[in-house]
Amino acid sequence: MVATVKPAYINIFHRFTLLVVPGLLTLATSLTLVSCTQQSQKADNQSPASNVADANTSKIKTKVLRMGYQQAGDLVRVTKVLEKRLEPLGVKVEWAQFAQGPQLMEAMNVGKIDLGSVGETPPIFAQAAGAQITYVVGRRRTENSGKGSAIAVPPDSPIKSIKDIKGQKVVFQKASASHYFILRALEEAGLKYSDIQVLSIPNVEAASAFLEGKIPVWVTGDPHLARAEKLGKARVIKTSEGLDSPGGYYIGAKQFAIDNPELLRVVIEEIDKIERWAEAHPKDTAKLILPFQKLPPDVMDLVISRRSFGLRAISPDLIREQQRVADYFHKNGLIPKPINIKEATLTDEQYAAITPPTISQK
C-alpha cells in the first residue's frame, strides 16, 4: 500500500509549525509517506514470533492498524511481529514512513496514522498545537541512551566545545528531540538559544550537506551520525548521554487508544518482546535491519550498539518527567502557552487495560 499526502496536509503542517515555532522552514519535501509492506524472508525466519494466548482479542473491532515510523528505520516493521500476531485476528498493519518525529505527529493530528514512536519533544509541540494525542507507553532508557545523538562538526572545524558555537549556524529539526538536546547543551555552556543561528532541516535532508562540509554545526542522531563518523566526516563535540530526558514514547491518536485497548495491549506486548530479543542479540538485529537501511555493515553495527531497546509503562513519575520538559520549552518561549501533560494521558484504568504485566514500571 502507498500512503500519499495531499496538499491540504502540507498546509496544515505549515500552520502547525508557524504556531509552535515561528520561523520554522517549510519542510514539504520531507512529508512524503512511504508504504513499506514488503519484508524480508530472513526477518521471518530469524525474528521470534509470538504464540501466547490472546485473551480478550475477540473484542478487537478494528480491521487496520496504521503505524508510523521514522526514517531511521523500525525493528518492529522489519521483523513483521505485528503482522504475525494481528493478521490471524483479522487486523492488517499498514506502515507509513516520516522524516522525523514532528512530521509523524502532524500526520497523526490529521488522522493519517494511529500509532508511532517519537522522542520526548514532538508530542509536547503537537499537544501545544492542539493535537488530540495520548502517551501509550514509554521507551526504556538504558546505558546506551544518548550515545547515538550528538552535536557534530566537520573534522577540521575550529569549534572545540559548545561555547564555540556561539554565533554559528546550527542545523537540526525543530520540535524534534534534538531541539531539547541543543537547548540543554547551550544552557550548560552558559549560552542562550538566541546566541546561535537556528536552521530547521530534517536529518534526511541535512545529511548530504553536512558530508559536503556545508553545515558548520549539526545536531543529529543515528543512522546519519554513525554514517558520517564512519566516513570520517564528523567530529562529535557532545553526545546527549546524561541528558535529563524522560526518553521516547509510542504515541497514539487519543480516540483510537480509547477505543482499542485490547489491540493496544497485544501491540505493546509484541513490541516489547521483539525489542528485548534485539537487546540480547545485537549482531542478529543488525543483520535483520541491514537490508532495509542500506548501510555498510560496520555502520549498522555501530547504530545497534548504541541503541536502547525495550518499553516502560506510563507512570506518574514518567508523566512528571515529561511535564518538566514541557515546562522548560515554555520557559524558553518555544511553545506559546503552558500545557498539561496529563491532558494527553489515559486514566489509570485505561493504562491497566493496555499495559501487559511484563512491561517495566521503571
Side-chain angles (χ1 to χ4, degrees):
M1 160 145 331
V2 177
T4 58
V5 183
K6 297 179 180 179
Y9 168 76
I10 298 174
N11 291 334
I12 291 171
F13 178 75
H14 183 62
R15 291 197 297 273
F16 164 73
T17 52
L18 287 178
L19 169 65
V20 179
V21 275
L24 180 60
L25 299 177
T26 302
L27 304 174
T29 56
S30 68
L31 294 176
T32 302
L33 304 180
V34 180
S35 169
C36 295
T37 57
Q38 294 184 342
Q39 310 295 339
S40 71
Q41 184 63 39
K42 184 175 183 181
D44 288 344
N45 292 337
Q46 292 187 1
S47 60
S50 307
N51 291 304
V52 299
D54 290 318
N56 296 322
T57 54
S58 61
K59 296 181 180 180
I60 295 177
K61 304 301 181 183
T62 301
K63 299 300 181 183
V64 178
L65 171 64
R66 301 171 301 170
M67 295 287 297
Y69 72 101
Q70 295 185 43
Q71 195 276 339
D74 193 286
L75 175 66
V76 180
R77 178 183 61 88
V78 168
T79 54
K80 299 179 69 175
V81 292
L82 295 185
E83 286 84 346
K84 293 171 186 176
R85 182 80 178 272
L86 295 178
E87 287 181 4
L89 303 176
V91 180
K92 294 187 179 298
V93 182
E94 296 178 352
W95 293 90
Q97 180 179 334
F98 299 89
Q100 280 184 251
Q103 289 86 345
L104 189 154
M105 283 287 85
E106 180 54 18
M108 186 174 292
N109 183 42
V110 298
K112 298 292 185 181
I113 59 172
D114 305 313
L115 188 68
S117 176
V118 297
E120 84 287 296
T121 300
I124 290 173
F125 280 73
Q127 185 181 350
Q132 294 301 303
I133 58 172
T134 193
Y135 293 83
V136 172
V137 69
R139 300 194 67 94
R140 289 172 58 220
R141 289 187 63 78
T142 69
E143 62 181 14
N144 288 333
S145 297
K147 292 181 178 179
S149 298
I151 300 170
V153 298
D156 58 352
S157 170
I159 296 172
K160 304 299 181 184
S161 70
I162 298 298
K163 288 183 178 294
D164 297 332
I165 71 174
K166 184 176 183 178
Q168 294 287 335
K169 292 179 180 178
V170 180
V171 171
F172 60 92
Q173 164 81 77
K174 285 184 177 180
S176 73
S178 293
H179 206 163
Y180 180 58
F181 176 22
I182 187 64
L183 200 61
R184 292 289 291 113
L186 289 168
E187 183 180 59
E188 290 177 4
L191 299 177
K192 298 179 181 178
Y193 193 63
S194 58
D195 287 329
I196 61 173
Q197 301 178 52
V198 174
L199 296 179
S200 183
I201 306 174
N203 282 327
V204 67
E205 296 181 17
S208 295
F210 182 82
L211 293 177
E212 294 170 2
K214 298 178 180 179
I215 291 177
V217 184
W218 191 23
V219 190
T220 187
D222 287 337
H224 310 284
L225 174 63
R227 180 168 176 261
E229 287 180 290
K230 287 294 186 180
L231 289 172
K233 298 290 187 178
R235 175 164 50 82
V236 171
I237 59 173
K238 183 177 179 60
T239 71
S240 65
E241 291 177 87
L243 181 70
D244 57 349
S245 165
Y249 303 89
Y250 272 89
I251 303 294
K254 190 159 193 177
Q255 195 59 51
F256 176 86
I258 292 171
D259 292 343
N260 296 280
E262 295 86 1
L263 175 60
L264 283 179
R265 189 179 183 90
V266 172
V267 169
I268 292 170
E269 184 179 72
E270 290 304 319
I271 292 173
D272 192 57
K273 284 165 61 179
I274 189 60
E275 293 214 350
R276 289 182 182 277
W277 175 86
E279 185 176 43
H281 302 86
K283 291 293 185 180
D284 291 334
T285 300
K287 291 177 182 178
L288 281 174
I289 300 178
L290 186 62
F292 298 87
Q293 286 289 290
K294 299 179 181 179
L295 293 170
D298 61 335
V299 175
M300 196 71 251
D301 286 340
L302 179 58
V303 170
I304 296 301
S305 72
R306 56 194 190 189
R307 177 175 169 179
S308 295
F309 293 100
L311 304 180
R312 61 172 170 164
I314 301 296
S315 65
D317 286 344
L318 186 53
I319 293 170
R320 281 192 289 271
E321 288 184 55
Q322 185 71 356
Q323 184 66 57
R324 174 183 51 78
V325 178
D327 293 344
Y328 186 74
F329 275 115
H330 179 252
K331 182 184 74 173
N332 282 274
L334 294 171
I335 56 176
K337 61 182 180 180
I339 62 170
N340 184 353
I341 295 298
K342 289 184 179 179
E343 293 178 358
T345 61
L346 302 174
T347 66
D348 291 344
E349 293 76 14
Q350 288 168 328
Y351 278 124
I354 69 172
T355 307
T358 53
I359 300 299
S360 172
Q361 300 297 311
K362 298 180 179 181

